[in-house]
Amino acid sequence: MSQIDIISTDNRRLGWGVAALVVAGNMIGSGVYLLPVTLAPTGSSSLIGWIICGIGAVTLALVFGGLGRLMPTADGLSDFAAQGLGRFLGYQAGLFYWGACLVGNVAVAVAAIGYLAFFFPVLKEPLWGALANLALLWMTTAIYALGTRSAARFGAISLVVGLVPIVLAIIAGAIAFDGQTFVNSWSPQDLPLWQSVPASLAIIFWAFLGVESAAVLSSRVKDPARDVGRASVAGVLLAFVVYVAACVAVFGVIPAGVLAESTSPFADLVARVMGASVAGLVAACAVVKTTGTIVGWTMTGGETARAAAEQGWLPRLFGGKETGRTPLTNPLMMGVIMSALLLVSVQPSLGKQFEMLIGVTSVLTLCLYAVCSLSLLRRAKSMTHKVLGVFGLVFSAFAVVAAAGGYVAPSVLFFVVTTIAWFWVRDRKSASVAT
């Protein structure tokens, strides 16, 4: 595929409403569908973690809104970091976010197959599950290859479909809610809150990854100075309401011990209250929504890679021949890398694979959020932006420190590798400028 083969980029820009749906769509479905399983050891006390992460996510949404207002010409997160903190941190921000998109997309695919296993139990087996994941990743990569506007529309439509199972689960939870079940699941491991809640924050914050989506697509929205902030805050608030209601519903009906063995918690919840046929509808809608989430994250990762390639930080296969234009080699390379990540992360159960992937993704992205908050603090002209920068930085650092070491170690290794690569990238770019 040559560099002259270009993905369609419709001249019409995204409005803040569509961008908000992309933000919410990248969050809802990437976080809520399988997350109750990984939070089962924390139990219903994870509600406290949801509230903490919700406050942090709103703060970060305001941070990105501030960055969009101060740097309306920036092309994605790496440019926000570069304009505020210099080329090295801009380079690191771009690669960290790109890596998080790739790993996170694989995790969302695992969640999708978990719900597809409701219909085809054989997909619970590692081999068949991996093959189904590969097929799903390549199908969604093809949708992104059709163009960024097509991908955004598909994500918005899938969000509407994806809300069906969550709404049904919330209704089922309201009907069958048992206060005693919720209380009994408060702390399954009998740990004090100061131990159980902080350790779950990296996992919980996975559900809010996507708050930056409007900022990543800043070059694609109509009025970045205004629309990035609006879309970010609106998307986060929608997701937060959904998450809290869903958390209470699940833990109020399904005991934590039973929940830990599930691959489709919302379908299981609805089946207990409304019957297997309605549960089948829930599982089908969840598959559609997670598919839309993968499309949204593939687009987000692809646009990040394009911006990084234009700045000389990634090979020109990802972009760079024409500024603002994405070559077809971009989604093809994305598909190859995600396939490799999927195969090397295969675990005995979907739940374990999902937990490992989201932990690594959350830490990678939180490090990026800290850099963006620092960039806002550096460029801030008003006290409001300075305060937002400080709070965003403190929250991101706290969430990373609270994460288990097993999630932090891959991020440290990634930083070491990208730092070593920086010297080659810097020298190569300097040479190209000299010529």
Side-chain angles (χ1 to χ4, degrees):
M1 196 71 65
S2 69
Q3 284 283 344
I4 62 173
D5 294 309
I6 301 294
I7 288 177
S8 170
T9 52
D10 196 315
N11 289 329
R12 291 173 295 173
R13 301 283 180 163
L14 302 177
W16 78 268
V18 174
L21 290 177
V22 172
V23 172
N26 276 2
M27 288 188 284
I28 300 173
S30 63
V32 74
Y33 287 115
L34 201 59
L35 206 56
V37 176
T38 58
L39 289 176
T42 304
S44 53
S45 63
S46 60
L47 178 62
I48 298 174
W50 283 109
I51 295 173
I52 293 173
C53 288
I55 295 172
V58 171
T59 301
L60 290 170
L62 294 171
V63 166
F64 288 116
L67 288 170
R69 187 168 295 277
L70 291 174
M71 310 175 203
T73 60
D75 187 3
L77 299 186
S78 61
D79 215 9
F80 282 136
Q83 289 189 30
L85 301 170
R87 290 178 60 238
F88 174 69
L89 286 179
Y91 157 83
Q92 290 287 4
L95 293 194
F96 259 63
Y97 191 64
W98 181 57
C101 287
L102 292 170
V103 180
N105 237 355
V106 176
V108 179
V110 170
I113 298 306
Y115 275 85
L116 198 58
F118 182 87
F119 303 103
F120 308 103
V122 69
L123 296 180
K124 295 179 182 180
E125 300 295 328
L127 174 61
W128 292 106
L131 291 175
N133 269 311
L134 286 173
L136 183 59
L137 285 173
W138 279 103
M139 182 187 74
T140 51
T141 297
I143 294 174
Y144 169 51
L146 293 176
T148 54
R149 192 170 182 84
S150 297
R153 283 178 171 173
F154 184 87
I157 293 171
S158 69
L159 172 60
V160 176
V161 175
L163 287 175
V164 172
I166 300 175
V167 170
L168 286 175
I170 292 172
I171 293 173
I175 294 172
F177 183 84
D178 183 349
Q180 193 59 49
T181 299
F182 188 87
V183 171
N184 291 342
S185 298
W186 184 252
S187 182
Q189 297 179 332
D190 293 324
L191 294 175
L193 293 179
W194 62 269
Q195 289 184 355
S196 62
V197 172
S200 68
L201 291 183
I203 296 175
I204 293 173
F205 198 76
W206 157 264
F208 290 99
L209 300 189
V211 60
E212 74 294 330
S213 298
V216 174
L217 300 174
S218 57
S219 65
R220 306 296 190 199
V221 298
K222 291 180 180 178
D223 184 354
R226 180 194 65 184
D227 294 346
V228 168
R230 285 185 178 182
S232 299
V233 174
V236 168
L237 291 177
L238 173 59
F240 177 72
V241 171
V242 170
Y243 289 151
V244 171
C247 173
V248 173
V250 170
F251 282 105
V253 178
I254 304 177
V258 176
L259 189 62
E261 303 299 322
S262 174
T263 63
S264 50
F266 289 133
D268 292 345
L269 168 59
V270 172
R272 285 174 173 242
V273 182
M274 300 180 178
S277 59
V278 181
L281 172 64
V282 168
C285 290
V287 171
V288 172
K289 176 60 199 79
T290 48
T291 300
T293 300
I294 299 171
V295 173
W297 276 107
T298 301
M299 175 177 65
T300 303
E303 290 301 299
T304 299
R306 174 196 55 75
E310 288 177 0
Q311 297 178 69
W313 299 335
L314 280 177
R316 290 177 65 180
L317 286 172
F318 294 97
K321 185 70 174 180
E322 296 182 59
T323 301
R325 305 301 295 276
T326 307
L328 288 176
T329 47
N330 179 308
L332 289 177
M333 291 298 296
M334 295 273 290
V336 169
I337 296 172
M338 288 189 293
S339 298
L341 288 171
L342 171 69
L343 295 176
V344 300
S345 67
V346 171
Q347 298 287 315
S349 72
L350 291 176
K352 290 294 183 182
Q353 185 179 13
F354 184 73
E355 180 180 356
M356 179 184 69
L357 289 167
I358 66 173
V360 173
T361 305
S362 295
V363 173
L364 279 171
T365 313
L366 282 163
C367 291
L368 170 66
Y369 291 166
V371 170
C372 288
S373 298
L374 189 59
S375 181
L376 177 63
L377 186 60
R378 178 83 179 274
R379 291 290 298 269
K381 298 178 180 179
S382 68
M383 183 57 65
T384 299
H385 286 158
K386 290 180 180 179
V387 171
L388 285 174
V390 170
F391 274 96
L393 181 61
V394 170
F395 172 77
S396 301
F398 168 71
V400 169
V401 171
Y407 302 142
V408 175
S411 297
V412 173
L413 177 62
F414 190 84
F415 178 77
V416 171
V417 171
T418 53
T419 299
I420 294 173
W422 163 253
F423 295 101
W424 175 75
V425 170
R426 181 194 60 182
D427 293 342
R428 187 187 66 169
K429 189 165 185 180
S430 297
S432 65
V433 171
T435 57

